[in-house]
Amino acid sequence: MNNYHKDSQLFFREVAKGVTEDLEKVQIIQLAMNLALGCERLLKGILFDINPAYILNEPSFKNSIQVLYRAKLLPGSNKSPELAQNINGDVITFKNSLLRAQLVSETTKQHKNILFAISEARDIIAHCELQLLNIEQIKEIIQRDFFTMIKEFTVELGQKPSLYFDSHSERLSKLSIAHQSNLDIKIKMLLDLHLEKWQQAKKVTGYVKKREKVTKVMIGGLNRGKTKCPACEQDAVVQFHPIIELDQMILEKIIIGYEVKKLSCFYCNLKVIEPPMLDQLGIKYDAVKNACLYCGKINDNLSGICDSCNLVTENGQIDLY
């Protein structure tokens, strides 16, 4: 890992530490600067990995050999006409780094517009009146896109996320999810987060057995069923609410269906209560088909009525309320 990558991580960790839901203007400005400094170094690091000369303003052999590999030159060679007399160690700008890196980095290509916006924000903060800064735009990028974009870079580069986010990954992921407007992206991020939590938790001795016991108890509860967790693929608990109406023909209250209210996984701690997300996840009706027609308790009776409710009360009716 070259020094540009290492330097970028320092700035990203500062951003990770400072990002919250409630940000004041001065905080946004400082976070934007740290984010820009980190991104510029990250892009230069990508180019440096391929060829260190690609980050120089003057990448010719005459100049680059002296900037990058001066220690390898033989004694007395500095007078050679093959070497530049005036060494130029200046490096390319943020935008130039971006234009070059997008040709060799898929993550850079996918996020180039966000990166251009970050670069523009940095230029305004450094050189112009702050009233020209689109404060809401850069705030949105910091809260919503910072984590997802840098997380993709860690995958591309094969680096540990903790090098970039320190211990703030879970908090940043939740904040980013809260700011997503695309439901598919929001769900994918949520499932990825809890899959990672499961992959870590299952390594702990005794964790899986404890979660199995808790899950069995919860599945057997009132108005609950079983389904497969969409994140970790372990057994999850579906909490539902029976839809009860009065049958005008027999003048009795009957259950005509079920409304899914919540999905809970005790293995990866996934919990979903938002109706649009429950719809998108497509909780199968199998999760509740064995609920008692009267009380909602899970049972295997062909009648659909649990053993307790089969015990008819003295007046022969069961009060559903």
Side-chain angles (χ1 to χ4, degrees):
M1 181 188 303
N2 65 61
N3 285 332
Y4 281 100
H5 284 305
K6 293 178 182 178
D7 292 345
S8 75
Q9 293 164 4
L10 185 152
F11 289 106
F12 290 138
R13 288 196 296 269
E14 284 299 304
V15 179
K17 182 172 62 176
V19 178
T20 61
E21 179 60 46
D22 300 312
L23 292 172
E24 300 293 332
K25 183 177 180 180
V26 66
Q27 294 174 302
I28 296 170
I29 291 170
Q30 190 57 60
L31 289 169
M33 279 299 290
N34 281 331
L35 178 56
L37 293 171
C39 287
E40 181 173 351
R41 281 162 174 76
L42 174 62
L43 297 174
K44 284 184 168 66
I46 291 171
L47 295 172
F48 195 96
D49 284 338
I50 299 172
N51 186 339
Y54 289 164
I55 68 169
L56 297 177
N57 271 331
E58 177 49 70
S60 67
F61 173 82
K62 288 185 176 184
N63 185 68
S64 62
I65 187 68
Q66 298 184 84
V67 175
L68 299 169
Y69 307 108
R70 192 171 186 82
K72 293 184 179 296
L73 291 173
L74 297 176
S77 60
N78 60 320
K79 300 296 184 180
S80 171
E82 295 302 319
L83 299 179
Q85 294 306 304
N86 298 314
I87 304 173
N88 183 359
D90 291 344
V91 295
I92 58 177
T93 63
F94 188 152
K95 287 186 173 68
N96 203 348
S97 301
L98 173 51
L99 290 172
R100 294 183 182 186
Q102 69 170 334
L103 302 176
V104 294
S105 164
E106 183 63 32
T107 304
T108 303
K109 181 180 177 181
Q110 292 297 324
H111 296 280
K112 64 181 179 181
N113 290 316
I114 291 175
L115 289 163
F116 274 127
I118 294 170
S119 174
E120 182 179 353
R122 175 217 167 269
D123 290 344
I124 291 173
I125 294 170
H127 306 294
C128 304
E129 296 178 354
L130 290 177
Q131 65 180 359
L132 298 176
L133 180 65
N134 188 335
I135 201 76
E136 290 302 319
Q137 181 190 69
I138 195 64
K139 179 182 178 183
E140 183 95 322
I141 289 173
I142 290 168
Q143 293 178 324
R144 183 191 63 196
D145 303 313
F146 161 61
F147 177 77
T148 56
M149 179 176 69
I150 302 305
K151 181 74 179 296
E152 288 183 32
F153 272 116
T154 68
V155 174
E156 179 176 291
L157 298 170
Q159 299 295 325
K160 294 179 180 179
S162 59
L163 294 174
Y164 299 78
F165 306 122
D166 210 353
S167 60
H168 303 287
S169 288
E170 183 175 343
R171 178 178 61 79
L172 292 170
S173 178
K174 290 179 178 178
L175 180 61
S176 179
I177 290 170
H179 283 267
Q180 295 294 333
S181 57
N182 185 305
L183 190 59
D184 289 333
I185 294 176
K186 191 171 185 176
I187 289 174
K188 183 180 185 304
M189 289 182 63
L190 184 67
L191 299 185
D192 288 346
L193 169 64
H194 286 275
L195 176 58
E196 288 181 13
K197 293 176 72 172
W198 160 243
Q199 289 172 338
Q200 293 300 317
K202 68 181 181 181
K203 298 176 184 177
V204 178
T205 304
Y207 179 86
V208 175
K209 288 187 177 180
K210 289 180 181 178
R211 297 298 93 187
E212 285 177 353
K213 291 179 180 178
V214 172
T215 301
K216 287 181 180 179
V217 171
M218 297 303 294
I219 288 175
L222 185 64
N223 292 334
R224 289 183 173 89
K226 181 176 73 172
T227 190
K228 189 176 289 293
C229 175
C232 68
E233 298 189 341
Q234 304 303 304
D235 286 343
V237 181
V238 176
Q239 185 175 332
F240 53 90
H241 179 73
I243 303 170
I244 302 171
E245 290 188 359
L246 179 66
D247 189 315
Q248 298 295 333
M249 298 294 293
I250 60 176
L251 298 179
E252 287 186 8
K253 296 171 184 176
I254 60 171
I255 295 176
I256 62 171
Y258 301 96
E259 175 189 4
V260 175
K261 303 291 287 186
K262 184 178 182 180
L263 181 145
S264 303
C265 177
F266 294 93
Y267 291 91
C268 68
N269 290 321
L270 173 69
K271 288 180 174 55
V272 181
I273 59 173
E274 296 89 344
M277 295 185 72
L278 290 169
D279 284 343
Q280 193 79 353
L281 288 171
I283 307 303
K284 293 185 178 180
Y285 188 70
D286 290 350
V288 297
K289 70 178 181 180
N290 291 326
C292 175
L293 295 176
Y294 289 111
C295 72
K297 185 177 180 181
I298 301 300
N299 69 92
D300 296 321
N301 297 336
L302 293 177
S303 66
I305 303 173
C306 72
D307 293 335
S308 298
C309 291
N310 266 326
L311 301 175
V312 182
T313 59
E314 290 183 358
N315 60 8
Q317 295 180 335
I318 296 177
D319 188 2
L320 291 176
Y321 292 129

